[in-house]
């Protein structure tokens, strides 16, 4: 049943992810009327022995700055009242039995006449405990079948470190829960302009005939951050930029840019097409990879002095199919660079038989800026306005801030949590997708881990190693000099 009693359990409730992402997303859903207080109850579970109020205060202390400003204290108090905390360990039954008792009490109270038992478990925990926690949930906390409803599990990356460890994790969890019960979050799939890709591509005649190797020269999917790994160097050093950003976030975006039209909008149809793209990616060539590590990265006390972990990478992927053969997909991600943004840049080929001799003025580009300031713009050549007959680069621009002034774009986590409640798996990573993603990157990752492939140093605040720009040029990207898109101001 999709109505009736809903219990949302945040495991790892006292941790960072829960505090920064999960609880704020839950509150925002509540604020917008999606989590009715007569149906929903939120449970926090963690090892720390604290009271309900302690947990509420922890959440509150992180929030006060931005939330108090935008909503009434009464609403917040009401919401906090829905949160119950249960403490217990992750690998013994005691705590989970207690948790089940609390959830059941709530269900009985709400369902005195009729109702259901919907239980959502959000694992804001390190993946090493996923298997044991899933086992405990299965053993002690499943929804009460006489009431109907469901039990769903939400997990976050990192799903393993390479193909073998990911498959092992998938097997362990897969023995306990069926695929429709598992929601593997990749929060990039919750971003507005990532969700828009399907609409853009398949609902616009403009793009249909152009979206292929005959017209597109190269595609870049870029993630940049202008800060380093401060505060999480320990975690980061074990994973590196490829596992942290490229193998998941950027590769998911690549799938949506490159996939064929799905049979329908059913999640399985969409995910079938994504898997096909991943399976068509050819082995990565050494000469199409540039790795970097910013100077100062190893100064972090939690990072080993001789760390070989890349904080920057440019990797060219080649898709071996009819639509994309010969078109490089350049994935680039870096920490401590000169700007913070994420965008997809589709560069078209030169116009054949050009009569304006405007080659050096730049190619057509279609840019989708995921963040900040969501926007799409098409770089195109127009006549320079005025008396002279000369050409100039300009743009058709759809900037969301300007075009949709009354709309607040939801946070990725809000959308995704709502999807898990509604049972929509479209924006979650299926097991075979995950496997195919690891297959692409595992050989390269092993060579980096073994120290055979070394990152080049770069200055924090720069564009990354110069070799990455050279690789971009070799792959066919032509930079437009003298043109820069300026996001419109309101
Ligand atoms: C996370 C990575 O998945 O995504 C972080 O672990 C990164 O390293 C973050 O900073 C970026 O997310 P967003 O939504 O700010 O682009």
């Amino acid at each position: 049943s999709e109505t009736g009693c809903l219990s949302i359990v945040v495991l790892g409730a006292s941790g960072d992810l829960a505090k920064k992402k999960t609880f704020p997303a839950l509150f925002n859903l509540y604020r917008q009327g999606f989590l009715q207080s007569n149906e929903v109850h939120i449970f926090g579970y963690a090892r720390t022995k604290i009271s309900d109020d302690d947990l509420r205060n922890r959440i509150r202390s992180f929030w006060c700055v931005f939330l108090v400003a935008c909503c009434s204290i009464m609403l917040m108090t009401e919401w906090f009242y829905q949160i119950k905390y249960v403490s217990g360990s992750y690998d013994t039954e005691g705590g989970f039995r207690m948790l089940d008792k609390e959830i059941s009490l709530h269900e009985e109270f709400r369902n005195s006449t009729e109702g259901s038992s919907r239980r959502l478990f959000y694992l804001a925990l390190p993946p090493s405990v996923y298997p044991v926690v899933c086992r405990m949930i299965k053993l002690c906390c499943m929804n009460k079948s006489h009431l109907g409803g469901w039990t769903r599990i939400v997990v976050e990356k990192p799903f393993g470190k390479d193909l073998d460890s990911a498959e092992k994790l998938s097997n362990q969890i897969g023995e306990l829960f069926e695929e429709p019960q598992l929601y593997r979050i990749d929060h990039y799939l919750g971003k507005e302009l990532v969700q828009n890709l399907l609409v853009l591509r398949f609902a616009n005649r403009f793009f249909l005939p152009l979206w292929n190797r005959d017209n597109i020269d190269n595609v870049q999917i870029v993630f940049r951050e202008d800060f380093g790994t401060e505060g999480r160097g320990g975690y980061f050093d074990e994973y590196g930029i490829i596992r942290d950003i490229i193998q998941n976030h950027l590769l998911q975006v690549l799938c949506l840019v490159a996939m064929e039209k799905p049979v329908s909008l059913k999640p399985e149809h969409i995910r079938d097409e994504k898997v096909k793209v991943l399976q068509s990616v050819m082995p990565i060539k050494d000469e199409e990879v540039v790795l970097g590590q910013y100077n100062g990265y190893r100064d972090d006390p939690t990072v080993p002095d001789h760390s070989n972990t890349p904080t920057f990478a440019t990797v060219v992927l080649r898709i071996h199919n009819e639509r994309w053969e010969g078109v490089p997909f350049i994935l680039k991600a870096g920490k401590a660079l000169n700007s913070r943004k994420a965008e997809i840049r589709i560069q078209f080929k030169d116009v054949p038989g050009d009569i304006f001799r405007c080659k050096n003025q730049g190619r057509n580009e279609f840019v989708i800026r995921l963040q900040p300031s969501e926007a799409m713009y098409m770089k195109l050549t127009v006549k320079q306005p005025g008396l002279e007959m000369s050409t100039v680069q300009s743009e058709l621009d759809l900037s969301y801030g300007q075009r949709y002034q009354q709309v607040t774009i939801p946070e990725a986590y809000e959308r995704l949590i709502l999807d898990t409640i509604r049972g929509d798996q479209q924006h979650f990573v299926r097991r075979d997708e995950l496997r195919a993603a690891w297959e692409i990157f595992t050989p390269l990752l092993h060579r980096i881990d073994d120290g055979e492939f070394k990152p080049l140093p770069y200055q924090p605040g720069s564009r990354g190693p110069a070799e990455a720009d050279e690789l971009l040029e070799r792959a066919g990207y032509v930079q437009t000099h003298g043109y820069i898109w300026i996001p419109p101001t309101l």
Side-chain angles (χ1 to χ4, degrees), residues 20-44:
K20 291 188 179 147
K21 301 283 186 194
T22 324
F23 284 118
L26 288 171
F27 176 71
N28 277 331
L29 287 174
Y30 175 75
R31 194 158 60 99
Q32 294 165 78
F34 288 107
L35 303 177
Q36 300 297 329
S37 53
N38 59 351
E39 286 187 353
V40 182
H41 213 80
I42 296 172
F43 298 87

Side-chain angles (χ1 to χ4, degrees), residues 289-298 307-314 335 337 448 453-460 462 464-471:
V289 178
V290 171
L291 305 176
Q293 188 188 75
Y294 66 85
N295 295 331
Y297 169 71
R298 298 179 195 173
S307 167
N308 195 38
T309 301
T311 58
F312 173 100
T314 299
K335 300 263 178 194
L337 296 179
I448 300 171
F453 212 128
K454 296 234 183 307
L456 303 162
Y458 63 95
Q459 268 316 104
S462 69
E467 286 80 350
D469 283 334
E470 289 159 18
L471 171 58

Side-chain angles (χ1 to χ4, degrees), residues 157 187-188 191 223 225 227 232 235 244-245 249 335 340 371:
K157 66 141 220 269
H187 80 282
Y188 265 60
K191 291 190 186 278
F223 167 97
E225 267 177 353
F227 48 89
R232 59 201 283 270
Y235 152 81
D244 191 46
I245 305 287
H249 303 329
K335 300 263 178 194
R340 173 178 177 259
Q371 65 191 34

Side-chain angles (χ1 to χ4, degrees), residues 265-330:
L265 288 178
K266 288 203 180 107
E268 294 324 320
H269 287 154
I270 293 170
R271 299 193 297 177
D272 288 346
E273 294 306 330
K274 287 167 71 190
V275 173
K276 282 190 211 160
V277 173
L278 295 172
Q279 288 173 338
S280 310
V281 173
M282 307 220 285
I284 298 168
K285 293 204 187 103
D286 278 5
E287 60 273 24
E288 297 204 305
V289 178
V290 171
L291 305 176
Q293 188 188 75
Y294 66 85
N295 295 331
Y297 169 71
R298 298 179 195 173
D299 297 346
D300 182 331
T302 57
V303 170
D305 291 345
H306 302 290
S307 167
N308 195 38
T309 301
T311 58
F312 173 100
T314 299
V315 181
V316 180
L317 296 189
R318 308 232 168 222
I319 301 171
H320 183 66
N321 67 17
E322 196 174 322
R323 186 187 289 273
W324 294 120
E325 182 161 334
V327 181
F329 282 74
I330 305 153

Side-chain angles (χ1 to χ4, degrees), residues 177-363:
F177 292 99
E178 301 291 327
E179 195 59 28
Q181 296 176 296
L182 291 172
Y183 288 73
R184 296 180 194 85
I185 282 200
D186 182 312
H187 80 282
Y188 265 60
L189 293 177
K191 291 190 186 278
E192 180 66 37
L193 286 203
V194 176
Q195 300 207 332
N196 196 11
L197 282 169
L198 222 59
V199 181
L200 261 186
R201 287 199 48 207
F202 300 117
N204 288 294
R205 189 73 197 220
F206 272 150
F207 297 118
L208 297 179
L210 296 183
W211 211 264
N212 54 45
R213 63 191 297 269
D214 300 333
N215 298 289
I216 292 176
D217 190 273
N218 59 78
V219 177
Q220 278 185 70
I221 302 172
V222 179
F223 167 97
R224 306 162 155 272
E225 267 177 353
D226 54 2
F227 48 89
T229 58
E230 300 87 0
R232 59 201 283 270
Y235 152 81
F236 189 88
D237 198 70
E238 268 207 42
Y239 290 90
I241 197 79
I242 296 179
R243 292 184 181 95
D244 191 46
I245 305 287
I246 298 183
Q247 181 267 358
N248 35 67
H249 303 329
L250 300 194
L251 195 61
Q252 284 293 326
V253 173
L254 175 143
C255 286
L256 295 167
V257 172
M259 70 189 231
E260 296 300 315
K261 187 193 261 190
V263 177
S264 78
L265 288 178
K266 288 203 180 107
E268 294 324 320
H269 287 154
I270 293 170
R271 299 193 297 177
D272 288 346
E273 294 306 330
K274 287 167 71 190
V275 173
K276 282 190 211 160
V277 173
L278 295 172
Q279 288 173 338
S280 310
V281 173
M282 307 220 285
I284 298 168
K285 293 204 187 103
D286 278 5
E287 60 273 24
E288 297 204 305
V289 178
V290 171
L291 305 176
Q293 188 188 75
Y294 66 85
N295 295 331
Y297 169 71
R298 298 179 195 173
D299 297 346
D300 182 331
T302 57
V303 170
D305 291 345
H306 302 290
S307 167
N308 195 38
T309 301
T311 58
F312 173 100
T314 299
V315 181
V316 180
L317 296 189
R318 308 232 168 222
I319 301 171
H320 183 66
N321 67 17
E322 196 174 322
R323 186 187 289 273
W324 294 120
E325 182 161 334
V327 181
F329 282 74
I330 305 153
L331 307 189
K332 175 157 111 183
K335 300 263 178 194
L337 296 179
N338 56 351
S339 63
R340 173 178 177 259
K341 69 178 175 195
E343 66 182 23
I344 306 164
R345 185 173 292 269
I346 294 160
Q347 187 171 70
F348 289 84
K349 291 184 189 276
D350 292 323
V351 174
D354 177 31
I355 54 169
F356 298 101
R357 311 212 178 285
C358 67
K359 250 193 188 151
N360 53 8
Q361 294 209 41
R363 292 172 160 178

Side-chain angles (χ1 to χ4, degrees), residues 414-432:
E414 289 169 35
R415 261 187 240 265
L416 296 175
I417 291 177
L418 195 59
D419 284 347
T420 62
I421 296 169
R422 292 175 168 168
D424 182 347
Q425 290 193 307
Q426 174 178 332
H427 303 296
F428 294 83
V429 183
R430 204 166 68 185
R431 180 173 171 172
D432 51 349

